[in-house]
Amino acid sequence: MIDVEDLVSLVRNYNPNTDADFIRRAYAFGMEMHDGQFRRSGEPYFTHPVAVAAILTEQRLDDASIVTALLHDTVEDTRASYKQVEELFGHDVAELVDGVTKLTNLQLSSSETKQAENFRKLFIAMSKDMRVILVKLADRLHNMRTIKAMRAEKQIQKARETMDIFAPLAGRMGMQWMREELEDLSFRVINPDARNSIMRRFVTLQRETGDVVHKITNDIRSELDNASIRASVYGRAKKPYSIWRKMEEKKISFSRLCDIYGFRIIVENEQDCYKVLGLVHQRWKTVPGRFKDYISQPKSNGYRSIHTTISGRDSRRVEIQIRTQEMHDVAESGVAAHWSYRDGERSQNPFAVAPAKWLSDITERFKNADDHGEFLEHVKLEMYTDKVFTFTPKGEVISLPRGATPLDFAYAIHTRIGNSCVGAKVDGMRVPLWTRLRNGQSVIIINAEGQKPQSSWLGLVATGKAKAAIRKSLREEDRERFMRLGRELVRVAFDHIDKKATDKALETAAKQLSLGSADDLLSRVGSADLNASDVLHALYPELMRNRDEIEPQRAIISPDKKQKHKRAECCQPVPGERIVGITYEGQGVIAHAIDCSVLSAFADEGHRWVDLHWHAGPHAAEYVVSLDVTIANDAGILGRICTLIGEHNANISDLTFPERKEDFYRVMIDVELRDREHLHAVMLALEADSNVARIKRHRESARAPQDGV
Ligand code: MN
């Protein structure tokens, strides 16, 4: 095990200003906490955190990262608490340790590869500070390096997880060396036969051709020397796993594989990159289509380099990368380049632009910050902050927009699950459906047969998918309700002319009106797009015409017997109520109720007023009065109302729905009545129904009649 002074000097090598005492205290605390614990290999447990810290020193990371590595398993596996770590090592370290602990506790139980990308995003989203991921990756790297001590099945599981989640994560962070090592360590476990066969091929190849790497390196060096360019040349065979992947992707055998060797030329400045490129292309034959200039056009993750492939000795293809040291640092350590020290200073690598946009934001802040020491404290992850990642009971990750609720989760799984959702459990606890989900929570949806989406759900969901599904379901439900209402209205209208609203009759009417089906017709009548009387007209045009032409009885008596009278539509007076007439030129007299508010408009026109009386005898039930009824939203009640009105020997001539709420709706019923007593009897009967919330006579007071009524 690396002892504490060795560790301190590893840090001091790149950061002379390190707080050695801070590291010593963490080392002592970790050692004490893990005392008596052992790894499966038999070593003291504390060797692991120390090894993780040592890996971070290779990345030249800051003191807080090193201390976090030393403490990363204390809160999870020992009696140490968050509070204790915070008191002893400060808030930042406590937060970092807490972040690593949270990542460790995530259950990556899904074996589905398509879930891997979501897991990686989850990791990034859960790490408020990038250093949490750097420590976690180092932790995984050490565990993979020492995986042989684990049970065989555990080895496979960890290796798969590493291959699917951690190696690509390292790649996304721009840490190529880490990615390659994690892949190779996993490959050893997952497919040892394939790896061994590739290694054997290398041995054979070397026997046949000698040490190709050494020869080509010397060739390149002598070219550079001749041109007096200072540079370092590194050559290597590619890693077994990347060779394997190429073989798999291209479906070719090892012997036909071209890119087995890779060379890297590190020069002092950008100009030299292009000089070296010229030398290489003069000396060797280039392979067409393989040249890429990532210096003039860097990758979005900040990667800069020139790539070219040449036919080298024995016409073997060799890939060559040409770059400066700064470019190389970014290519190898990626995100970590920002945190790393060089020559005792926090490096200010101008090329370090990490995986996504957030880093350019960070760089902006870095430039503007006066105190670079504060930089680390202010670095927060801004990737995926608009997303939350949640788990199904099976461990699948469901990615949702921030602000999403269990309903969104349910609809994300399946529309059927969403539609029948009645409740949810988050991390085992019942929660209301409006609860906002957070990263890493596991969600169980509770469903019930017969549950239907409520219109209030529209306010609870954040995803378009859920909104669309809820709207669709509400529309379908509306249609059903409209159809039930339509059926009542049509029945009443047919009864009125002593006909039956048979399916056959409705189908025929639908055809006449160019509607798709009888259901279509009913739902249109129910939603007041179509009048029930239009349906009758379509079926019985003759009968309806006759009815329209029936001569109204002379029910209103006035001094001038020749004058034509009409009832005012605004106040709808009925026999038994006091009325007064207003003369309209060429149109006769309009009879208003004496208390009609319209009358005040004629106060100064006494000559237009006419004294009117109702005919004294019995009247026919033909005076239409509009009743404004508010009823509970229950389709059955409309049928009862129609029946009640019928039982009082009154007819319904029209029915409209001016307002619909979720629990109540208003219906305007035009009833044909004899007189005031008849009206009162009908209103009383309706009022007695418990589902009628309110009933009143509808009188239009605002609109004064202009010409005609
Ligand atoms: Mn660990």
Side-chain angles (χ1 to χ4, degrees), residues 191-470:
N191 202 340
D193 294 343
R195 188 174 184 277
N196 288 339
S197 89
I198 287 170
M199 298 305 278
R200 269 199 303 277
R201 303 275 190 146
F202 271 123
V203 175
T204 317
L205 200 62
Q206 205 150 12
R207 211 182 303 128
E208 286 169 1
T209 61
D211 188 350
V212 177
V213 172
H214 187 69
K215 286 184 199 161
I216 297 177
T217 306
N218 284 340
D219 287 350
I220 295 175
R221 259 206 198 110
S222 70
E223 288 296 323
L224 294 170
D225 286 346
N226 289 341
S228 310
I229 294 173
R230 278 157 54 118
S232 325
V233 181
Y234 306 92
R236 56 167 198 169
K238 293 200 170 163
K239 289 272 186 196
Y241 178 70
S242 77
I243 289 174
W244 172 253
R245 190 166 49 193
K246 279 237 169 67
M247 286 165 64
E248 293 273 282
E249 275 171 14
K250 299 189 172 165
K251 301 268 174 254
I252 51 175
S253 65
F254 184 86
S255 56
R256 293 188 49 228
L257 198 69
C258 306
D259 308 302
I260 295 173
Y261 299 106
F263 289 81
R264 203 164 278 155
I265 305 173
I266 312 280
V267 296
E268 288 183 330
N269 55 55
E270 195 177 307
Q271 274 179 330
D272 283 356
C273 291
Y274 292 99
K275 272 191 207 158
V276 170
L277 178 71
L279 289 177
V280 168
H281 280 189
Q282 262 172 11
R283 170 75 166 74
W284 289 283
K285 236 172 50 193
T286 60
V287 176
R290 296 294 304 264
F291 172 72
K292 287 199 184 82
D293 182 357
Y294 292 118
I295 293 178
S296 62
Q297 295 198 304
K299 290 191 189 180
S300 61
N301 62 11
Y303 180 85
R304 282 172 168 81
S305 191
I306 288 172
H307 292 191
T308 189
T309 303
I310 55 165
S311 291
R313 287 175 178 255
D314 315 318
S315 65
R316 198 164 286 283
R317 285 181 179 192
V318 170
E319 189 188 56
I320 296 180
Q321 301 176 344
I322 308 164
R323 50 174 81 146
T324 66
Q325 183 63 48
E326 278 173 330
M327 296 174 189
H328 182 65
D329 283 349
V330 172
E332 284 298 295
S333 43
V335 174
H338 276 281
W339 280 266
S340 64
Y341 286 75
R342 185 163 286 280
D343 307 325
E345 294 290 324
R346 202 186 296 284
S347 80
Q348 294 183 49
N349 191 322
F351 300 138
V353 178
K357 170 187 158 294
W358 62 267
L359 212 87
S360 63
D361 296 345
I362 290 167
T363 315
E364 265 308 302
R365 260 178 283 166
F366 192 22
K367 270 191 247 153
N368 298 334
D370 292 333
D371 179 6
H372 289 179
E374 264 181 63
F375 174 55
L376 280 181
E377 281 74 15
H378 290 134
V379 173
K380 297 284 182 235
L381 271 178
E382 283 160 26
M383 239 172 160
Y384 310 121
T385 47
D386 55 340
K387 295 222 142 163
V388 287
F389 300 88
T390 53
F391 289 90
T392 67
K394 283 183 190 159
E396 268 182 64
V397 181
I398 304 288
S399 145
L400 296 166
R402 190 156 287 280
T405 60
L407 275 174
D408 289 297
F409 182 92
Y411 277 106
I413 295 173
H414 198 282
T415 305
R416 187 169 33 81
I417 305 286
N419 281 342
S420 62
C421 174
V422 289
K425 280 185 180 176
V426 170
D427 290 340
M429 299 261 286
R430 264 310 274 266
V431 299
L433 288 178
W434 41 262
T435 307
R436 305 272 177 230
L437 296 174
R438 291 199 310 272
N439 268 319
Q441 288 185 323
S442 76
V443 183
I444 298 174
I445 297 297
I446 302 160
N447 298 96
E449 198 79 30
Q451 166 72 336
K452 282 187 182 152
Q454 315 288 308
S455 57
S456 59
W457 285 11
L458 285 170
L460 301 184
V461 297
T463 54
K465 185 180 183 198
K467 278 207 174 83
I470 293 166

Side-chain angles (χ1 to χ4, degrees), residues 39 45 48-49 52 69 72-73 77 100 104 135-136 138-140 142-143:
R39 306 195 84 206
Y45 189 88
H48 164 67
V52 174
H72 81 270
D73 282 330
D77 294 337
V100 177
T104 307
V135 175
K136 186 65 207 166
D139 174 49
R140 176 54 62 117
H142 183 246
N143 283 333

